[in-house]
Amino acid sequence: ECAQWPRRRKTGAFYFAGEDASGAALLADAEAVETLYRVVGLSTSLGDVLRANDRSGSGDVVGSALLLTLLPFMDVIVYDGTLRGAPPNRDPSLVAQLKALVA
């Protein structure tokens, strides 16, 4: 599986749209917001990482922007461990669209 990473990885910007019941992050591709990826955290869920670093104190991190690389690994999608934050997109229409995608 590791040999396929150069061909099957996806590097870019993603918006945090929510989490599923297991805590996996649901990330929307910033270039095609209607495309969602279910991403399993390495040791901590991406949602927990975002909430721990939320300076607004609201706890609502939908719309948070992430720059990372997604990789297939053992029938799930993970990220490569390098996580960079980008300015969040708090545009109300985008946040509403992201919340509707995961509803």
Side-chain angles (χ1 to χ4, degrees):
E1 222 174 70
C2 295
Q4 296 180 30
W5 284 358
R7 292 188 309 272
R8 296 186 61 199
R9 68 180 168 202
K10 171 119 175 103
T11 299
F14 301 88
Y15 294 120
F16 182 82
E19 294 168 294
D20 70 7
S22 72
L26 301 172
L27 301 182
D29 189 325
E31 294 179 2
V33 175
E34 65 282 350
T35 302
L36 284 179
Y37 296 93
R38 181 183 178 276
V39 181
V40 178
L42 299 175
S43 60
T44 305
S45 75
L46 288 171
D48 287 345
V49 170
L50 290 170
R51 283 186 289 276
N53 292 289
D54 177 28
R55 292 200 170 107
S56 74
S58 71
D60 184 7
V61 292
V62 172
S64 295
L66 302 167
L67 304 171
L68 46 77
T69 298
L70 303 180
L71 303 163
F73 183 69
M74 298 183 70
D75 298 326
V76 296
I77 299 174
V78 298
Y79 67 100
D80 69 354
T82 303
L83 173 66
R84 292 182 298 149
N89 189 331
R90 298 292 187 214
D91 173 37
S93 64
L94 174 67
V95 171
Q97 182 180 8
L98 293 171
K99 288 182 178 184
L101 284 171
V102 300

